[in-house]
Amino acid sequence: EIELVESGGNLVQPGGSLRVTCAASGSAAASNCMGWFRQVPGKGRQGVAAIYTPNGNQYYSASVEGRFTISRDTATNTLYLDMSDLKTQDTGMYICAAASDGACGQWGASWVEEHWSVWGQGTQVTVSS
């Protein structure tokens, strides 16, 4: 059963903008926590942004704060990540993740991979001139 499917990755010039999308189904669609991670070859997944659905709280890693915006459309079970002022260090595979609880809440978000239970396959974002 495919639960998280990402799309929208592309090649973008530095300073540009891009939106990536994650379509959720099954148990992932009912998750209270949804987030985006970034992975580059040879490294583990790094947390980028998360959203806690019950109150809409958003959480960001320091490297993207003020440039990225995470949002969720519960009617269509779709998660978005709007990225602006993109930098070469933003390059990577952007992977959608979901968790019922424990991964985020009113207290914040955990970027520990083991706290997230459902993962997508990812969509590639390359920032280069």
Side-chain angles (χ1 to χ4, degrees), residues 52-121:
Y52 180 57
T53 300
N55 62 13
N57 280 9
Q58 303 161 24
Y59 306 101
Y60 300 95
S61 68
S63 65
V64 306
E65 181 83 50
R67 300 187 297 119
F68 289 13
T69 301
I70 188 172
S71 60
R72 182 177 183 179
D73 185 339
T74 54
T76 61
N77 295 322
T78 305
L79 183 72
Y80 302 100
L81 184 67
D82 289 293
M83 302 178 285
S84 63
D85 190 22
L86 282 160
K87 307 178 186 302
T88 55
Q89 53 263 43
D90 295 321
T91 294
M93 184 72 74
Y94 281 72
I95 303 169
C96 181
S100 295
D101 53 36
C104 72
Q106 295 187 37
W107 49 270
S110 168
W111 304 128
V112 176
E113 294 184 47
E114 289 73 18
H115 292 167
W116 297 79
S117 53
V118 185
W119 296 88
Q121 295 298 308

